[in-house]
Amino acid sequence: MNIGLRVLLGYFLIVALAALLVGKVFVEQVKPGVRQAMEDTLIDTANMLAELAADDMRAGSIADGQFARRVRAVRQREIGAEVSGFSKRRTHFRVTVTDARGIVVFDSDGLDLGRDNSRWNDVHRTLRGQYGARSTRSDPLDEDSTVMHVAAPIRDGGQLLGVLSVAKPNRAMAPFIARSQLIVTRWGLVLMGAALLVGMLAAWWLSRQLGALRRYADAVAGGERVALPATAGEFGDLGRALQQMREKLEGKQYVEQYVHALTHELKGPLAAIRGAAELLESPLPDADRARFVASIAAQGERMAQMVDKLLALAAVEHRQRIEQPQALQAADVLADAVDAVRAHAEAAGIILQVRQTEPAELSGDGFLLRQALVNLLDNAVDFAPRGSTVEVRALRDGTAVRFEVADRGTGIPDYARERVFERFYSLPRPGGGSRSSGLGLPFVAQVGQLHGGRAEVRNRDGGGVIASLQVPD
């Protein structure tokens, strides 16, 4: 499981738990909150009606007096109100009045006249000077049939005449409670979805940043040329730290590798020079002396070329990208390379023939591309038989431009095909010529990779070799 998915699951778990906790608290508090508000309203109503009923209670006409008629009239009134989208046509409260003993003397519904209510909590507590209220099921088997009763004392001065109770079914508030709970639940789900979306975006961003750094590290470990990915914040700092570490480690390893390789390759020329020098210390015929002097000069030139080419190769290998690519014409790059090698070709008796070159534009480093083509042309001239033709051309290959150099030499032996791009690996020149530095083709390969392309060498039908350098246009 990748880190982005772990972060997402952890974040979602925290958000889900928080949402469930908060949602549970809010939803569970809706019902008691609404009922508390209803109870507060019933308290005001009961106390106001208790004052209005005092005169009829004192006169003994509470059952058929003015108060009773007004209460019954209210219950018959058509209200026709709209409360937050809910219709209210009639009142839902019930009024009962008990005497000082707790016996019902008035009931707006006419159901409990004469019943002893002194044991009910609303009447019982009020008769004792306390606040009385209760919530009782009208149907013992239905938990939603509860009715709230709130009582207030009816007094004549300091004398307690009776108790007035106002009752209202809790289910009258059910639509408001259900809607409030639905709204809380709905917005809770919206917030949870938004939090999940934010978590997904954060996890995606985190996974993307880490994935870019991981791919960069894998590419570096594989020896590829890759640029530091664009990352933000602390990931950018981490990427720059990785790049600095890479440069320092690569620089150290690079120097160690090249010192070892150069030391190994210089042993041969140095041994030849030492041997020739020792022989020159003794008397020799002029012909032998001239031959040994020429050998020393040739080996010295070989070492100089090896150092120069090694420095050029090192400079290319150490670069990660073309910093300022130029718009180039393939024909111009090819013509410059041919002009640079023409003297070498004429001295070797080789004809350089530029075949039909397609108009093609590419982007890159003109100097490096020219030098790579010079290396290919030098190789072709060295291996081509005297009097033969080396053909060069540039052509478009899909979205790339391919330079080709073809000769009619002996070709590449099977055992050498996989090694021609290795550093310091070279084949003997025809006619007993000395080996080259073995750095020309590796330089060409590095230039190709630096431009996002590749170099190839293959045997040609009818004899010879076709060397190509392909770069994106």
Side-chain angles (χ1 to χ4, degrees), residues 35-168:
R35 289 184 176 179
Q36 289 167 4
M38 185 176 74
E39 183 177 354
D40 181 76
T41 302
L42 291 179
I43 291 173
D44 294 339
T45 303
N47 280 276
M48 182 182 65
L49 292 178
E51 288 297 325
L52 296 176
D55 290 340
D56 286 351
M57 191 69 178
R58 187 167 42 251
S61 58
I62 190 65
D64 54 3
Q66 185 74 10
F67 176 79
R69 289 194 297 274
R70 295 303 182 189
V71 170
R72 293 189 180 99
V74 169
R75 290 181 60 81
Q76 299 301 319
R77 175 176 295 202
E78 180 71 26
I79 297 177
E82 292 288 333
V83 183
S84 299
F86 295 102
S87 299
K88 184 175 180 63
R89 298 291 177 258
R90 297 184 183 278
T91 60
H92 295 97
F93 68 87
R94 175 186 178 186
V95 179
T96 58
V97 178
T98 65
D99 58 18
R101 297 173 301 162
I103 304 301
V104 177
V105 294
F106 172 76
D107 182 354
S108 60
D109 285 353
L111 300 176
D112 295 335
L113 285 174
R115 194 179 75 173
D116 184 1
N117 279 1
S118 61
R119 291 175 297 177
W120 292 110
N121 203 42
D122 55 328
V123 177
H124 177 79
R125 292 177 61 84
T126 304
L127 289 175
R128 283 160 179 73
Q130 301 172 353
Y131 167 63
R134 65 183 169 94
S135 185
T136 307
R137 293 183 184 181
S138 59
D139 182 355
L141 301 179
D142 185 3
E143 62 179 9
D144 294 327
S145 66
T146 56
V147 179
M148 183 177 293
H149 300 257
V150 175
I154 302 175
R155 298 181 182 277
D156 182 14
Q159 182 182 3
L160 179 63
L161 300 179
V163 175
L164 183 142
S165 294
V166 179
K168 188 168 186 176

Side-chain angles (χ1 to χ4, degrees), residues 127-314:
L127 289 175
R128 283 160 179 73
Q130 301 172 353
Y131 167 63
R134 65 183 169 94
S135 185
T136 307
R137 293 183 184 181
S138 59
D139 182 355
L141 301 179
D142 185 3
E143 62 179 9
D144 294 327
S145 66
T146 56
V147 179
M148 183 177 293
H149 300 257
V150 175
I154 302 175
R155 298 181 182 277
D156 182 14
Q159 182 182 3
L160 179 63
L161 300 179
V163 175
L164 183 142
S165 294
V166 179
K168 188 168 186 176
N170 284 319
R171 69 177 56 189
M173 295 292 104
F176 300 97
I177 294 173
R179 186 174 64 180
S180 297
Q181 290 178 335
L182 178 62
I183 292 173
V184 170
T185 301
R186 181 185 302 161
W187 279 106
L189 292 175
V190 170
L191 291 176
M192 191 171 177
L196 178 59
L197 179 61
V198 171
M200 291 176 65
L201 292 175
W204 171 81
W205 179 82
L206 177 63
S207 180
R208 183 170 177 268
Q209 299 289 311
L210 291 176
L213 291 177
R214 179 183 58 78
R215 289 189 294 273
Y216 172 72
D218 290 342
V220 170
E224 300 178 20
R225 277 192 175 89
V226 287
L228 180 67
T231 49
E234 294 181 356
F235 292 103
D237 297 338
L238 177 60
R240 286 185 288 273
L242 287 174
Q243 185 179 37
Q244 292 175 1
M245 181 179 68
R246 168 196 180 181
E247 291 173 352
K248 291 181 179 180
L249 290 176
E250 282 186 345
K252 181 180 179 181
Q253 294 174 355
Y254 198 76
V255 170
E256 291 176 351
Q257 178 184 6
Y258 267 71
V259 167
H260 176 76
L262 182 59
T263 301
H264 176 76
E265 292 301 319
L266 289 177
K267 285 181 179 180
L270 286 174
I273 291 173
R274 181 182 298 172
E278 290 176 353
L279 292 173
L280 287 173
E281 292 178 352
S282 60
L284 290 172
D286 291 341
D288 290 340
R289 182 179 297 277
R291 180 164 55 84
F292 287 130
V293 170
S295 176
I296 291 174
Q299 294 299 330
E301 179 63 23
R302 180 185 176 190
M303 286 192 296
Q305 290 183 0
M306 186 180 300
V307 171
D308 291 341
K309 289 187 176 181
L310 187 60
L311 291 174
L313 178 60

